[in-house]
Amino acid sequence: VANLKEARAIESFLRFDLFDMAYVGNQEPRPEGRNPNVTVRELLDRASTKVGEKFGDQPLVEASIRYTIGLTYRQLGEYAKAQSHLEQSYALRLAGLGADHPGTLNSKNELAVVYHYRTEFDRAERLFREVLAARVATLGADHSDTLQSKNGLATVYHSQGKYDRAEPLYQELVQTLTGQLGANHQRTLMNQNNLARLYRDQGRYDRAEPLYQDVLQRATASLGTDHPVTLTSKGDLALLYYYQAKYDQAEPLFRDVLETQTAKLGADHPATLSSKNNLALLYEAQLKYDQAEPLFRDVLQMRTAKLGADHRATLISKDNLAALYYRQGKYDRAELLFQEVLQARTVKQGPDHPR
């Protein structure tokens, strides 16, 4: 926040336009009635409609509020809504502060994160590269914000299959963060987990497994059993066991992660859905089709509603369910889903893409 006037405007918005709407008496009448147990998501949806009209003459205040709302939507897994607010925050800060201002770079970096989550990898890579270069020039190579952008770029390279570009960035991050924050800090552990994930995706299981086990042990001891880093590492280790056909070792880890994420994040959060999908894949590999099918169906339904019918994760779910139908001999159902996936991927990725 640039000055006291902006700070007071933001405080007023949070108090009167956001939090006060949690009180039943302040809610607008609706056909279904007022909600005494309103959620954070509902408060954000209502407050979001007022930002532009209330701060049209205070663009930097509007940018700060949209930035905060965008981050909150992202944490809730509402990526489309997060993208809208972060794009507007970035545009306002770019016009009012300039390209290299820390506030502008913050909005641009978080927008790149959302592009990554929405599988718009080319857009995410371009923004991360630009933010990283600007932060190195203005803040230095070892600044916390610079390292954040380097991690973002590494994860995009990883998602694109550019493993030779991702690996040295992950290794640099682990070394730098270990020196700055210590071996058991959550950022250090998360980057080590990212490196283990890279090894796994390259098929270098002999390097991935001991690293995963080490990260999981230290994260559990230093951060707790239900910390996001612990759960991510546990789920990734379970997936590695699944790839190695060590199903008895994978299943209890998958089930534990899914149960905890459902309780903490909600049944429709993207992380929860990924864990449910992985458990369904395990059941399928164990020929437990009656247990796999309802999980695949749930994930497909919720991903379609939350991410859209042509999102990469949604298409993976539809492909998984089609493959299960095929293995069960339900060929009519399988054929229909395979055709839908093929059509959508041809449009999004082109006719020559491996998918």
Side-chain angles (χ1 to χ4, degrees):
V1 180
N3 53 48
L4 184 59
K5 181 180 179 182
E6 287 186 28
R8 286 176 174 167
I10 293 171
E11 179 187 9
S12 174
F13 177 82
L14 293 175
R15 178 180 176 186
F16 296 110
D17 293 286
L18 184 63
F19 297 126
D20 268 13
M21 283 192 292
Y23 172 54
V24 173
N26 291 337
Q27 295 178 24
E28 295 180 1
R30 297 181 298 171
E32 66 271 23
R34 294 181 171 94
N35 183 5
N37 299 309
V38 64
T39 65
V40 172
R41 184 182 282 106
E42 290 172 315
L43 291 178
L44 284 174
D45 288 345
R46 297 176 193 175
S48 294
T49 63
K50 300 184 178 183
V51 179
E53 63 185 57
K54 185 159 187 174
F55 299 105
D57 60 343
Q58 297 175 274
L60 294 181
V61 174
E62 180 181 346
S64 294
I65 292 175
R66 289 195 183 279
Y67 176 76
T68 301
I69 291 175
L71 292 185
T72 307
Y73 272 133
R74 192 194 78 196
Q75 291 164 350
L76 293 171
E78 299 281 356
Y79 300 138
K81 294 177 181 178
Q83 178 178 328
S84 175
H85 284 282
L86 289 170
E87 284 177 338
Q88 292 177 78
S89 174
Y90 171 56
L92 289 167
R93 284 177 166 172
L94 181 63
L97 300 173
D100 291 335
H101 188 279
T104 307
L105 294 176
N106 287 342
S107 294
K108 191 174 185 178
N109 190 85
E110 297 307 322
L111 180 57
V113 173
V114 171
Y115 284 155
H116 184 199
Y117 285 161
R118 300 200 72 193
T119 69
E120 297 183 27
F121 299 139
D122 291 343
R123 299 177 76 182
E125 179 186 344
R126 178 176 58 81
L127 293 194
F128 274 133
R129 289 171 65 90
E130 292 172 359
V131 175
L132 178 59
R135 283 178 165 173
V136 169
T138 58
L139 301 174
D142 293 336
H143 190 278
S144 176
D145 291 349
T146 306
L147 298 179
Q148 181 188 42
S149 296
K150 182 181 287 189
N151 177 70
L153 182 58
T155 58
V156 170
Y157 284 154
H158 188 164
S159 297
Q160 293 171 311
K162 300 176 181 178
Y163 300 143
D164 58 328
R165 298 188 186 183
E167 185 172 353
L169 294 183
Y170 282 146
Q171 291 172 335
E172 291 169 13
L173 283 162
V174 170
Q175 182 178 0
T176 303
L177 290 170
T178 301
Q180 288 185 352
L181 304 174
N184 292 327
H185 191 276
Q186 64 180 20
R187 291 183 62 189
T188 308
L189 291 169
M190 194 68 241
N191 275 278
Q192 285 185 304
N193 194 81
N194 288 342
L195 182 59
R197 184 181 295 170
L198 180 71
Y199 292 149
R200 183 197 70 198
D201 292 345
Q202 291 175 308
R204 299 159 72 182
Y205 298 153
D206 58 326
R207 300 197 66 174
E209 185 171 346
L211 187 53
Y212 271 140
Q213 291 172 336
D214 180 53
V215 170
L216 178 57
Q217 182 180 6
R218 288 188 290 120
T220 302
S222 59
L223 302 175
T225 56
D226 62 351
H227 191 278
V229 175
T230 307
L231 294 174
T232 297
S233 182
K234 185 180 292 186
D236 279 356
L237 178 59
L239 196 57
L240 176 66
Y241 287 149
Y242 163 76
Y243 288 159
Q244 295 175 303
K246 299 177 180 179
Y247 301 140
D248 291 342
Q249 292 175 259
E251 184 171 353
L253 298 183
F254 276 141
R255 293 173 65 89
D256 182 56
V257 171
L258 177 59
E259 181 180 352
T260 305
Q261 288 177 330
T262 301
K264 288 180 67 70
L265 302 175
D268 65 345
H269 191 278
T272 308
L273 295 177
S274 291
S275 296
K276 182 178 283 191
N277 184 76
N278 290 339
L279 181 59
L281 288 171
L282 176 69
Y283 287 151
E284 181 183 24
Q286 294 173 312
L287 307 183
K288 299 177 181 178
Y289 297 150
D290 58 328
Q291 293 177 257
E293 183 174 340
L295 297 186
F296 277 139
R297 291 172 66 89
D298 285 348
V299 174
L300 175 58
Q301 180 180 7
M302 286 188 274
R303 279 179 168 170
T304 301
K306 197 172 189 69
L307 302 174
D310 62 348
H311 189 277
R312 180 190 186 198
T314 306
L315 295 176
I316 288 174
S317 290
K318 187 175 287 189
D319 194 58
N320 288 340
L321 182 58
L324 180 67
Y325 284 153
Y326 170 77
R327 290 182 176 89
Q328 292 174 303
K330 300 176 181 178
Y331 300 131
D332 290 343
R333 296 186 187 182
E335 182 177 357
L336 177 63
L337 294 186
F338 277 136
Q339 287 176 337
E340 291 176 359
V341 174
L342 176 60
Q343 182 178 3
R345 283 178 170 164
T346 301
V347 172
K348 286 182 67 71
Q349 298 174 301
D352 296 327
H353 191 279
R355 285 282 184 178

